[in-house]
Amino acid sequence: MSETMGGLISLLRREWIYLWYYFTVQLEQIAPYWALGMVLGSLISVFGKAGIHSLFQGLNGKKLGALGVIPASLLGIASPLCMYGTIPIAASFSQKGMKDDLLAAFMMSSILLNPQLIIYSGALGQRALIIRCVSCFLCGAAAGLMVRFFFRDKGFFNFSGFQERAGRDTDPNPVLRFLKNLGRNIKATGGYFLLGVLLSALFQRYVPADRFAALFGRQEGFGVLMAATLGVPPYACGGGTIPLLQQWLLSGMSMGSASAFMLTGPATKITNLGALKIVLGVRHFVYYLVFVIAFAMGTGWVVDRFLW
């Protein structure tokens, strides 16, 4: 019995050493991107958010037609707000006469990407970063066009009950405003980030790379479908998924499958879905889900077929 217990303790100690090694390696690789993302996100939130939203409001007075979804989608990506911050802002814009197609483009791209997540995604490599940025921009623009052409005279959103929240960055000292915002960002994302690193270490230790590659590699769209489905709805935090995505790609996941996951994940995050269902209603909410999954699968197929 003592020999068995000693063998078990030795095994657990050895596994702990392996996991700690994988964890620290992943942490060293990802932590600089996370830290830089925190700083950049807080800087934009404190000093640039008002300017970004002012530029978006300015689109309402310009006769851009369908092309207006392009700057609207770009400004959505530049906005540092989460979905629960974006919806009250969008409600305020809607009350001032902003058209639903511009709101759809802004909100869609804002859900998918923000300045912090752009920095995080740099850990995946330059080509993966470019594909993520371009696909999120195109998804936002496509959402705006769909609303413009199919719901022009019907209205797509219902913002009743939403109003712009008072800003939390009110300290008169700009340095303290930045530091307080940075602290809130670290508190909100730090746990998810460390959990992502831990899950990545567990994956690297216990999931055979060849089996994973067989499931999510180039499988004529099957891997893309699986990845798109995987993103609905366990995705919790963009920063927390970067270590996992990095390890998945190293283990053989195709870039198309990763692209599909990076679209459906944030778009169907539980916290986002709850807010979106309120402003969309049941029917439009279903349209939203179908659009996101179809766009993600199409993007993944194009990436695997022509770009990777």
Side-chain angles (χ1 to χ4, degrees):
M1 178 67 73
S2 60
E3 292 182 1
T4 302
M5 183 61 68
L8 178 60
I9 293 174
S10 177
L11 175 63
L12 291 175
R13 183 182 294 117
R14 184 169 65 251
E15 291 303 310
W16 167 254
I17 292 172
Y18 276 122
L19 285 176
W20 179 251
Y21 169 76
Y22 290 134
F23 180 88
T24 55
V25 169
Q26 286 284 329
L27 189 63
E28 289 175 4
Q29 292 176 347
I30 302 293
Y33 293 96
W34 177 76
L36 182 59
M38 288 289 96
V39 172
L40 178 64
S42 291
L43 284 172
I44 293 176
S45 183
V46 172
F47 302 111
K49 179 175 63 180
I52 292 169
H53 294 162
S54 178
L55 287 173
F56 180 59
Q57 180 63 44
L59 296 177
N60 204 33
K62 297 180 180 179
K63 298 180 179 180
L64 298 174
L67 294 178
V69 301
I70 295 176
S73 184
L74 290 172
L75 289 170
I77 290 174
S79 175
L81 295 177
C82 67
M83 175 47 56
Y84 277 94
T86 298
I87 286 181
I89 290 289
S92 174
F93 289 146
S94 180
Q95 292 169 4
K96 296 174 184 176
M98 181 70 72
K99 296 177 181 178
D100 279 359
D101 58 336
L102 300 182
L103 289 172
F106 179 85
M107 292 174 64
M108 185 78 253
S109 60
S110 181
I111 290 172
L112 297 175
L113 198 59
N114 57 51
Q116 291 173 239
L117 193 50
I118 291 174
I119 298 297
Y120 298 157
S121 300
L124 302 176
Q126 183 178 10
R127 293 179 68 186
L129 174 61
I130 292 172
I131 288 174
R132 181 166 209 174
C133 290
V134 171
S135 63
C136 290
F137 160 70
L138 291 177
C139 189
L145 291 175
M146 294 289 284
V147 170
R148 178 180 180 85
F149 291 119
F150 291 103
F151 299 93
R152 176 178 296 186
D153 301 319
K154 304 175 184 178
F156 192 73
F157 299 103
N158 178 14
F159 290 111
S160 58
F162 283 92
Q163 57 183 356
E164 188 172 352
R165 297 181 299 181
R168 301 174 66 182
D169 299 311
T170 57
D171 196 293
N173 186 317
V175 175
L176 289 179
R177 284 205 309 274
F178 165 73
L179 291 176
K180 289 179 180 179
N181 188 282
L182 180 61
R184 290 195 299 271
N185 275 341
I186 293 173
K187 183 179 179 179
T189 66
Y192 288 113
F193 169 72
L194 292 175
L195 177 60
V197 176
L198 175 60
L199 291 175
S200 176
L202 290 168
F203 176 88
Q204 189 173 1
R205 175 62 180 160
Y206 297 115
V207 178
D210 55 344
R211 294 183 183 179
F212 189 83
L215 184 61
F216 290 102
R218 294 177 178 271
Q219 297 292 327
E220 296 298 327
F222 179 74
V224 172
L225 173 62
M226 290 291 294
T229 305
L230 184 64
V232 185
Y235 188 103
C237 171
T241 60
I242 296 300
L244 277 171
L245 278 167
Q246 185 187 55
Q247 192 55 49
W248 290 348
L249 287 168
L250 290 173
S251 297
M253 177 183 249
S254 74
M255 191 61 230
S257 296
S259 300
F261 177 84
M262 288 188 287
L263 287 167
T264 60
T268 60
K269 188 166 66 171
I270 287 292
T271 52
N272 287 345
L273 291 183
L276 285 169
K277 188 175 182 297
I278 295 173
V279 301
L280 294 179
V282 175
R283 179 178 295 181
H284 291 176
F285 180 72
V286 172
Y287 293 158
Y288 167 81
L289 291 178
V290 171
F291 166 77
V292 166
I293 294 173
F295 189 92
M297 290 180 61
T299 298
W301 184 82
V302 169
V303 168
D304 276 347
R305 195 80 170 181
F306 301 106
L307 301 179
W308 201 256

